[in-house]
Amino acid sequence: MSWTEERIGTLKTMWEAGQTASQIAEALGGVSRNAVIGKAHRLGLQSRPSPVVSKEEAKAAAEREKQAAVAAPEPEPAPWEEVAEPAAPAPVEAVAPVVEEDEEEDEPVRAAPAPAPASIPLPEPRREPVLRSVGPGGFVRQAPGEQQPPIAPAPPRRLVPARTAPEYADKTSLLDLNDRICKWPLGHPGEPDFHFCGEKVNPGFPYCVAHCGHAYQAQLPRRDRRAPPLPFGGPRAR
DNA sequence: CCCTGATTCGC
DNA sequence: GCGAATCAGG
């Protein structure tokens, strides 16, 4: 088996989608996992977190993770969540530059140990590969986090939203919901004007026809998926 | 043992 | 360029 344009495309796609070399090899057929890894490297694909990691890298990675954890403790509050007042500012301790002695190291000229302040400008926030399942031919399905809506009915932190202000009393509140009216949320729980759509449902669905259109989006027919629109742009043309 | 990816090196 | 062999961590 040779590396045809198509097979390379599949390899790239799957590799970037976070599939393991074994999975890719199996999907392609006729190649070993080693062949896949070798090819991936030759293509210059971004290396993946390897189980085999040098001491040097391990330290760097650990350091990087610390930095990231301090820099961005919260990914982002879900839109429906109230942004809680921080009880106490996170105790951000200045990380003293760790200068470690390396026994097995015999560089004649030591580069000046760059005094690393608390915030090192990270060259590139190493992208964690996203796990996606892959269908026949290397078609990559969306990962759960990447699905288009349904975003909708969020698990609110507080089951009963803040009391609806009088001026919105005629809006459809949580208590007004039943199985005949559209439950598409408008606004955010906890906000005074939060309410639900309230239209008559599309029979058999929790939403009205219009909101069903948002909630349920058809997949492309399989035969049209040779070059699926990937979230990251798909195989690059060369 | 199984899995993983990285690297090496003869072809 | 290719990939088996080898390495080394989980």
Side-chain angles (χ1 to χ4, degrees), chain A residues 61-125:
Chain A
E63 211 55 37
R64 248 181 285 136
E65 276 194 35
K66 260 187 215 165
Q67 298 281 350
V70 173
E74 288 175 301
E76 182 158 338
W80 55 77
E81 281 182 332
E82 282 186 59
V83 178
E85 205 67 42
V92 178
E93 316 167 54
V95 179
V98 181
V99 179
E100 297 204 13
E101 289 298 321
D102 286 340
E103 279 84 10
E104 73 270 304
E105 186 87 7
D106 49 356
E107 291 176 27
V109 178
R110 265 287 217 199
S119 65
I120 303 172
L122 299 178
E124 195 153 334

Side-chain angles (χ1 to χ4, degrees), chain A residues 37-53:
Chain A
I37 292 174
K39 184 62 180 173
H41 280 228
R42 265 172 259 125
L43 287 170
L45 295 183
Q46 189 183 36
S47 55
R48 318 267 281 291
S50 163
V52 179
V53 103

Side-chain angles (χ1 to χ4, degrees), chain A residues 77-196:
Chain A
W80 55 77
E81 281 182 332
E82 282 186 59
V83 178
E85 205 67 42
V92 178
E93 316 167 54
V95 179
V98 181
V99 179
E100 297 204 13
E101 289 298 321
D102 286 340
E103 279 84 10
E104 73 270 304
E105 186 87 7
D106 49 356
E107 291 176 27
V109 178
R110 265 287 217 199
S119 65
I120 303 172
L122 299 178
E124 195 153 334
R126 183 189 181 85
R127 274 213 308 141
E128 290 298 324
V130 181
L131 294 180
R132 301 183 183 88
S133 61
V134 168
F139 160 67
V140 180
R141 300 191 179 93
Q142 288 180 317
E146 301 166 333
Q147 305 262 348
Q148 290 294 93
I151 341 159
R157 194 150 26 144
R158 184 163 51 179
L159 288 184
V160 179
R163 187 185 320 116
T164 302
E167 55 267 38
Y168 297 103
D170 58 328
K171 297 280 168 57
T172 305
S173 83
L174 185 65
L175 299 178
D176 299 324
L177 293 182
N178 60 46
D179 56 4
R180 273 151 291 151
I181 67 176
C182 177
K183 301 179 181 59
W184 189 271
L186 299 169
H188 305 295
E191 290 178 4
D193 63 339
F194 174 68
H195 61 283
F196 295 90

